[in-house]
Amino acid sequence: MGNYILDEMKDAVTFYEAIANTIAEQYLKGINEKNFFTLVLTGGNTPLKLFDLLVKNYSERIDWSKVYLFWADERCVSQKSYDNNFFNAKIHLINHLQFGGINPIQTNLSPKLAAKEYLNDVHLFLKKYSLKSFDMVILGMGNDGHIASVFNPMDQKEDEIYVSKTKNFDRVTMSISMLKKIKYKLLMIRGKDKLNCLKDQSMKLPKDMINYEKIIYTNDTFQ
């Protein structure tokens, strides 16, 4: 991991506002370049309050009908499960706004087929608009240093989207190589444990394999 900007926020309110404002800034760049914006989401609990804030306060700054949503990773469970990233985004974000396009990972398929179909969906979208990659990805980080659902830094898959097996779930994830191609990579972390993990260079972890344009951090361990 190279040099990066670390923005430390005093509390949850300023933390989420900083992330939302960064999305709005990158949205304008996408609109100026091609009149739409591509945003890649990930899972966990941290994004949910962000989604609520975007719905409440960012309908004037962002024309959501020009925003296309994708996912960096997904747990291979029903799209009606709270363990499903798309389901949570649907409750907190998608049901409240009109998007240009929504592209979830199809977890009704087998994990291997879901990964194959999603890779095809991504390639078709990028080819349709002559894009090299997406505009922005919002990433979180686990206490173990994993990013999206990449848990092993040696897990260099030839496929750009593949199945990652963990104790509780099979997951479909974008590879590090695909994530690195995204124009603007924002990492959001909260709590000293994660900050210490971020700064720890004693061993190479997936979090060290991406050069982030910005990292937004708060020590506020809000629920």
Side-chain angles (χ1 to χ4, degrees):
M1 183 172 64
N3 296 325
Y4 56 84
I5 300 171
L6 178 62
D7 287 350
E8 183 170 353
M9 301 297 141
K10 63 181 180 179
D11 54 32
V13 173
T14 55
F15 174 76
Y16 284 118
E17 286 178 347
I19 299 168
N21 286 335
T22 305
I23 293 170
E25 291 165 4
Q26 296 307 309
Y27 160 82
L28 287 178
K29 290 183 180 180
I31 294 300
N32 290 334
E33 289 173 0
K34 57 189 181 302
N35 202 36
F36 66 90
F37 177 64
T38 52
L39 179 61
V40 181
L41 304 176
T42 190
N45 293 321
T46 302
L48 303 184
K49 291 184 184 295
L50 170 65
F51 297 158
D52 294 338
L53 176 63
L54 291 172
V55 169
K56 182 179 179 181
N57 292 342
Y58 285 77
S59 291
E60 292 186 3
R61 291 183 62 181
I62 297 174
D63 180 353
W64 295 101
S65 69
K66 295 183 178 181
V67 177
Y68 292 80
L69 295 181
F70 290 82
W71 275 261
D73 66 324
E74 184 59 271
R75 297 183 181 97
C76 294
V77 296
S78 167
Q79 287 187 343
K80 295 181 180 180
S81 168
Y82 285 101
D83 289 319
N84 185 271
N85 296 336
F86 166 73
F87 180 71
N88 288 315
K90 185 177 179 182
I91 292 172
H92 289 267
L93 183 70
I94 296 167
N95 284 346
H96 308 281
L97 300 169
Q98 185 65 47
F99 287 89
I102 300 166
N103 302 274
I105 296 169
Q106 299 299 327
T107 56
N108 58 308
L109 305 173
S110 69
K112 187 174 182 180
L113 184 56
K116 181 179 179 181
E117 289 296 319
Y118 201 60
L119 180 60
N120 185 56
D121 290 345
V122 167
H123 282 171
L124 286 175
F125 181 89
L126 296 178
K127 183 178 180 180
K128 178 180 178 180
Y129 294 103
S130 301
L131 302 176
K132 293 182 179 180
S133 188
F134 300 109
D135 292 312
M136 182 177 184
V137 60
I138 305 170
L139 292 167
M141 185 191 76
N143 288 329
D144 57 0
H146 82 267
I147 295 293
S149 287
V150 181
F151 292 86
N152 185 346
M154 303 305 293
D155 203 2
Q156 296 297 305
K157 300 291 186 180
E158 292 183 6
D159 292 337
E160 293 176 302
I161 296 176
Y162 64 96
V163 179
S164 172
K165 294 184 176 294
T166 62
K167 181 179 179 180
N168 296 320
F169 307 99
D170 284 346
R171 306 180 187 219
V172 172
T173 186
M174 291 185 178
S175 66
I176 291 292
S177 62
M178 177 172 274
L179 293 171
K180 287 169 70 173
K181 292 176 185 176
I182 297 173
K183 290 181 182 179
Y184 196 97
K185 296 163 286 291
L186 184 150
L187 178 65
M188 54 182 183
I189 57 173
R190 55 188 177 100
K192 287 186 177 179
D193 288 345
K194 289 190 177 183
L195 183 64
N196 290 337
C197 178
L198 176 72
K199 293 181 175 180
D200 185 358
Q201 298 297 306
S202 62
M203 61 184 295
K204 192 171 185 179
L205 297 170
K207 52 95 178 175
D208 300 309
M209 301 174 71
I210 293 177
N211 290 317
Y212 309 98
E213 277 62 43
K214 183 181 287 186
I215 299 176
I216 299 179
Y217 164 74
T218 183
N219 187 40
D220 187 348
T221 55
F222 48 88
Q223 296 298 317

